[in-house]
């Protein structure tokens, strides 16, 4: 009996001991943990791999959300210009301010996720706000309504939430997840930046470009993103919020600084790190985690310069090319190349570098990405200089430009008062090579023009204003020589369009139709029409309607960025005879010159952005992953702000701005490389293991005490 009782007591102890092992040991002096213990469940795997099935829902959600965001952003600048009638500078400034705001808001979401709601609920609630913003923007784009548009939030926690789905032993799969995650981002961006401009430009609603549809489709995709994310709810591993982490971090940093300032005496022993001065009030684990976060955030300080360059990807839709794209469609090249580069880098380049025994660390990858981005913008500066060769000369005070169009039958010698121009006679219908500079004595000046033609001399007085461009038309009217001074375009047409105007040399009024556009009737006897902007194309089927009938109008090719003056000289054989002058030269740089830039910037983005996303997750403690991910996105916001500040504070030529940012990025890359050289990577799991080992003696004592009592 005694033996049985003893065995029963021993079995009772063993059963109690097995139960005790389920709970956390608490050493003397430690506060008990608050709240319920959260046991992470294991998610079903995807097709027999180590990837959780929940990842599929997260990736599809991210694809739809990025389609929504980039689709909306693709048409935003043109929306400001054409719908609100803002000028280009204001539209660009608001665009960059909006982009910066979108990447500032993740900080709010990260605080909500880590401190209050948890990542899952934060994504759900902010997605609803996101959808409401999209709907307001879509309805606001209806011209008959036209009320204020909503603000769109960017989800801050999705990448961190996706990283949480992996067990700790699957670190390689987690690292590859960020590549798949970025792949879904750029797949959504690729499709949306190509499709949304088509919806805007090719579909007409309310008598104009259909911005309501262009914003409505991204809104529908955001609704789909929310539905897909909620559908996977039962599969997610949901880490509970850890309390107001950011507030604790700020208090810890503040206390450390305050305590250090109070104890400046040389008699007080120094401590290894300035944050160790918070040890009187905060736990060693919190201090160690804050050290990790502050070290990474310090490393992030130079990174906004990369995004300052990246977000200035200029769409050279004014270049020559075989295919003509919408002005807001050129952006699709970047996500297309990203989709190509991600598998090439992950499955080919990185393993090859590893086989060569080169330690290609995350910091080295990010520095290489910076170099590639700097090279891309160096090439962009060269191309921009080449493009500017066909630009109009820069207009300055007390100076104007002038050319002569001789529409008479014989050469004309033109002399302008106080000017040494046009030394040789201007031949009939001679296409001017370039504009000549007129030097004025004030903001405007009345000048005397003397025309010598077949032994006769005629004088005309015209008032010329500074910083203006003119054409002097010389023609014969009623048997005598006459002239007219008309105003020309001062700069190239924007967005790769061609500008064309008409001079009617007939003795009857004409009405011209080209490309389904009805021109204002052009008056007889060298009346001049206004400029009309048309797409680059060959126009050989226009119509010229006169009092005597309808005639075919053949204008030939109207090229990218050129300005033309078309003179109607005669009507014969059922067709109109014309003479075309190219006042502003067409762009002579082919669109293919963009490809090296996009190749470099896209390769740089893959190395910089994907690596930085995974690096910020891997270097953050479990309780602060969303905060550090938001810090990564904050570098994007600061980069957009830098662009805005530089553009507003010191306006400069586009090529000069490219050179400036290129030099700054190379300088920042050197600084970042030096900082990265001294950075020591820390695994958050090692930190937790050290804390567990520190507590092991107290646990051992508790077990020993219980065992001795049982033996008695």
């Amino acid at each position: 009996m005694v033996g049985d009782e003893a065995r029963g007591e021993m079995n009772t102890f063993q059963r109690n001991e097995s139960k005790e092992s389920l709970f956390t040991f608490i050493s003397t002096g430690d506060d008990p943990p608050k709240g319920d213990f959260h046991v992470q469940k294991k998610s079903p795997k995807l097709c027999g791999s180590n990837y959780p099935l929940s990842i599929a829902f997260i990736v599809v959600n991210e694809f739809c959300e990025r389609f929504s965001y980039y689709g909306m952003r693709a048409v935003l600048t043109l929306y400001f210009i054409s719908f609100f009638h803002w000028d280009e500078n204001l539209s660009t400034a608001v665009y960059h301010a909006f982009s910066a705001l979108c990447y500032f808001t993740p900080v709010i979401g990260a605080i909500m996720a880590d401190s209050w709601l948890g990542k899952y609920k934060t994504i759900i609630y902010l997605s609803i706000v996101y959808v409401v913003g999209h709907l307001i923007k879509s309805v606001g784009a209806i011209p008959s309504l036209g009320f204020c548009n909503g603000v769109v939030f960017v989800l801050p926690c999705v990448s961190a939430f996706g990283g949480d789905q992996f067990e700790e032993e699957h670190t390689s799969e987690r690292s590859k997840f960020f590549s798949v995650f970025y792949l879904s981002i750029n797949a959504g961006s690729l499709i949306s930046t190509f499709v949304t401009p088509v919806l805007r430009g090719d579909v007409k609603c309310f008598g104009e470009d259909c911005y309501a549809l262009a914003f409505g489709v991204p809104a529908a995709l955001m609704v789909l993103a929310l539905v897909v994310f909620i559908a996977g709810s039962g599969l997610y591993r949901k880490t509970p919020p850890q309390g107001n982490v950011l507030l604790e971090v700020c208090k810890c940093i503040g206390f450390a600084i305050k305590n250090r300032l109070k104890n400046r005496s040389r008699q007080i022993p120094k401590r290894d790190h300035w944050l160790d001065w918070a040890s009187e009030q905060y736990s060693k684990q919190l201090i160690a985690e804050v050290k990790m976060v502050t070290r990474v955030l310090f490393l992030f300080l130079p990174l906004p310069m990369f995004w300052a360059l990246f977000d200035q990807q200029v769409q050279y839709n004014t270049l020559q090319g075989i295919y003509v794209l919408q002005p807001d469609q050129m952006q699709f090249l970047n996500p297309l190349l990203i989709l190509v580069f991600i598998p090439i880098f992950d499955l080919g380049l990185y393993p090859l570098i590893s086989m060569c025994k080169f330690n290609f660390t995350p910091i080295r990858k990010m520095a290489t990405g910076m170099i590639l981005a700097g090279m891309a913008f160096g090439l962009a500066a060269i191309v921009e200089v080449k493009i500017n060769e066909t630009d109009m000369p820069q207009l300055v005070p007390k100076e104007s430009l002038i050319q002569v169009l001789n529409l008479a039958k014989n050469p004309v010698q033109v002399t302008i008062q106080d000017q040494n121009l046009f030394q040789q006679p201007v031949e009939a219908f001679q296409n001017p090579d370039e504009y000549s500079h007129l030097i004025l004595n004030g903001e405007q000046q009345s000048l005397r023009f003397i025309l010598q033609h077949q032994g006769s001399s005629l004088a005309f007085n015209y008032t010329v204003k500074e910083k203006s461009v003119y054409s002097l038309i010389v023609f014969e009217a009623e048997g005598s020589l006459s002239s007219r001074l008309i105003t020309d375009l001062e700069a190239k047409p924007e967005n790769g369009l061609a500008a064309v105007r008409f001079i009617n040399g007939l003795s009857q009024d004409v009405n011209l139709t080209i490309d389904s556009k009805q021109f204002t009737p052009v008056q007889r006897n060298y009346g001049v029409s206004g400029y009309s902007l048309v797409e680059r194309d060959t126009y050989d089927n226009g119509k010229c309607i006169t009092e005597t009938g309808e005639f075919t109008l053949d204008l030939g090719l109207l090229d990218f960025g050129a300005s033309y003056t078309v003179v109607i000289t005669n009507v014969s054989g059922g067709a109109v005879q014309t003479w075309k002058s190219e006042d502003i030269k067409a762009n002579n740089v082919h669109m293919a010159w963009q490809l090296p830039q996009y190749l470099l910037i896209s390769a740089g983005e893959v190395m910089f952005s994907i690596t930085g996303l995974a690096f910020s997750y891997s270097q953050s403690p479990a309780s602060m992953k969303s905060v550090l991910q938001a810090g990564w996105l904050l570098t994007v916001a600061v980069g957009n702000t830098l662009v805005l500040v530089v553009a507003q504070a010191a306006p400069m030529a586009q090529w000069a701005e490219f050179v400036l940012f290129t030099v700054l990025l190379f300088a920042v890359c050197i600084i970042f490389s030096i900082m990265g050289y001294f950075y020591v990577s820390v695994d958050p799991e090692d930190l937790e293991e050290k804390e567990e080992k520190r507590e092991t003696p107290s646990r051992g004592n508790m077990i020993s005490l219980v065992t001795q009592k049982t033996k008695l």
Side-chain angles (χ1 to χ4, degrees), residues 395-408:
L395 295 171
V396 298
K398 295 185 179 181
E399 185 177 282
S400 291
L401 301 175
I402 191 171
Q403 67 175 0
V404 176
L405 300 179
N406 181 12
L407 308 182

Side-chain angles (χ1 to χ4, degrees), residues 300-318:
F300 282 177
L301 288 178
L303 303 188
M305 188 54 65
F306 174 88
W307 298 113
L309 264 75
F310 181 81
D311 286 332
Q312 289 186 88
Q313 292 184 68
V314 176
Q315 290 72 48
Y316 291 124
N317 46 327
T318 58

Side-chain angles (χ1 to χ4, degrees), residues 24-90:
T24 304
F25 289 99
I26 304 171
S27 60
T28 305
D30 284 348
D31 295 329
K34 299 178 181 179
D36 298 331
F37 293 97
H38 184 78
V39 180
Q40 292 284 11
K41 65 179 179 180
K42 289 193 174 183
S43 173
K45 303 303 180 184
L46 191 63
C47 299
S49 67
N50 289 328
Y51 289 91
L53 182 60
S54 56
I55 289 300
F57 291 89
I58 293 174
V59 169
V60 174
N61 161 267
E62 187 64 15
F63 168 83
C64 295
E65 187 274 327
R66 290 291 89 182
F67 184 106
S68 169
Y69 174 72
Y70 284 108
M72 174 273 303
R73 205 176 73 160
V75 299
L76 198 58
T77 302
L78 285 179
Y79 177 63
F80 290 151
I81 294 173
S82 61
F83 194 84
F84 289 129
H85 305 293
W86 295 347
D87 60 45
E88 186 175 354
N89 292 333
L90 177 60

Side-chain angles (χ1 to χ4, degrees), residues 282-340:
Y282 296 92
S283 67
K284 290 184 178 180
Q285 181 172 355
L286 178 63
I287 293 174
E289 290 178 350
V290 174
K291 287 179 182 178
M292 292 179 63
V293 170
T294 53
R295 287 168 68 246
V296 176
L297 291 178
F298 178 73
L299 196 64
F300 282 177
L301 288 178
L303 303 188
M305 188 54 65
F306 174 88
W307 298 113
L309 264 75
F310 181 81
D311 286 332
Q312 289 186 88
Q313 292 184 68
V314 176
Q315 290 72 48
Y316 291 124
N317 46 327
T318 58
L319 303 184
Q320 289 183 348
I322 300 174
Y323 303 104
V324 182
L325 301 175
Q326 296 281 358
D328 40 4
Q329 227 171 13
M330 205 54 200
Q331 305 168 64
F332 89 99
L333 275 178
N334 173 248
L336 175 64
L337 291 172
I338 295 293
L339 294 178
V340 174

Side-chain angles (χ1 to χ4, degrees), residues 331-636:
Q331 305 168 64
F332 89 99
L333 275 178
N334 173 248
L336 175 64
L337 291 172
I338 295 293
L339 294 178
V340 174
F341 282 153
I342 286 178
I344 290 177
F345 281 35
D346 281 352
L347 303 178
L349 181 61
Y350 293 156
L352 182 63
I353 293 175
S354 180
M355 289 172 59
C356 296
K357 306 300 181 182
F358 179 74
N359 187 16
F360 204 28
T361 63
I363 291 177
R364 289 175 178 172
K365 290 179 183 178
M366 294 168 70
T368 304
M370 287 182 174
I371 294 172
L372 293 175
M375 293 170 61
F377 269 73
L379 288 177
I382 296 173
V383 173
E384 186 69 18
V385 170
K386 187 67 177 176
I387 291 173
N388 290 344
E389 291 179 358
T390 60
D391 277 354
M392 291 288 288
Q394 188 70 33
L395 295 171
V396 298
K398 295 185 179 181
E399 185 177 282
S400 291
L401 301 175
I402 191 171
Q403 67 175 0
V404 176
L405 300 179
N406 181 12
L407 308 182
K409 298 178 181 179
N410 298 294
V412 176
Q413 179 66 54
V414 179
T415 305
I416 305 176
Q417 171 189 343
D418 301 329
Q419 308 290 328
N420 189 23
L421 303 175
F422 309 117
Q423 301 297 319
Q424 300 296 325
V426 180
E427 299 293 331
F429 294 95
Q430 175 182 328
N431 204 335
D433 293 330
E434 60 184 12
Y435 282 89
S436 300
H437 292 261
L438 280 174
I439 308 301
L440 308 179
N441 57 16
E443 294 183 359
Q444 64 180 28
Q445 182 179 353
S446 179
L447 296 176
R448 188 174 183 83
F449 292 74
I450 301 174
L451 308 180
Q452 296 177 342
H453 176 253
Q454 292 185 328
S456 62
S457 180
L458 298 171
F460 302 90
N461 292 323
Y462 295 110
T463 299
V464 177
K465 297 180 180 180
E466 66 175 357
K467 301 173 73 172
S468 299
V469 183
Y470 297 97
S471 286
L472 179 67
I473 304 174
V474 180
F475 55 91
E476 294 182 57
E478 299 180 356
S480 63
L481 199 64
S482 185
S483 68
R484 179 176 297 170
L485 190 67
I486 59 176
T487 304
D488 295 357
L489 289 181
E490 299 175 2
K492 274 182 172 290
E494 296 179 352
N495 301 323
L497 298 175
V500 60
R501 66 179 175 184
F502 294 89
I503 298 177
N504 181 13
L506 304 180
S507 58
Q508 51 186 324
D509 296 342
V510 298
N511 200 357
L512 304 171
T513 304
I514 174 177
D515 188 30
S516 302
K517 296 181 184 295
Q518 189 76 23
F519 286 92
T520 305
V522 187
Q523 296 181 354
R524 68 189 71 188
N525 298 329
Y526 298 94
V528 182
S529 72
Y531 282 100
S532 292
L533 299 178
V534 295
E535 301 283 349
R536 178 193 185 271
D537 205 346
T538 299
Y539 296 90
D540 54 4
N541 197 28
K543 301 295 181 183
C544 175
I545 303 174
T546 68
E547 297 173 357
T548 57
E550 180 177 307
F551 304 91
T552 302
L553 178 63
D554 185 0
L555 300 179
L557 175 65
L558 302 182
D559 212 346
F560 288 115
S563 173
Y564 300 94
T565 298
V566 177
V567 183
I568 300 173
T569 59
N570 197 5
V571 175
S572 64
V576 174
Q577 295 180 359
T578 61
W579 174 74
K580 183 171 65 175
S581 169
E582 190 178 42
D583 303 331
I584 299 178
K585 306 301 180 185
N587 301 329
N588 57 6
V589 180
H590 197 277
M591 191 178 292
W593 284 104
Q594 265 190 290
L595 292 179
Q597 303 165 40
Y598 272 100
L599 288 169
L600 288 171
I601 194 69
S602 300
E605 183 187 359
V606 170
M607 285 192 168
F608 181 88
S609 187
I610 298 177
T611 306
L613 199 64
F615 178 77
S616 62
Y617 185 92
S618 67
Q619 295 297 291
S620 57
S623 61
M624 303 183 191
K625 291 194 180 295
S626 287
V627 172
L628 207 51
Q629 292 279 293
W632 169 256
L633 294 178
L634 202 60
T635 63
V636 184

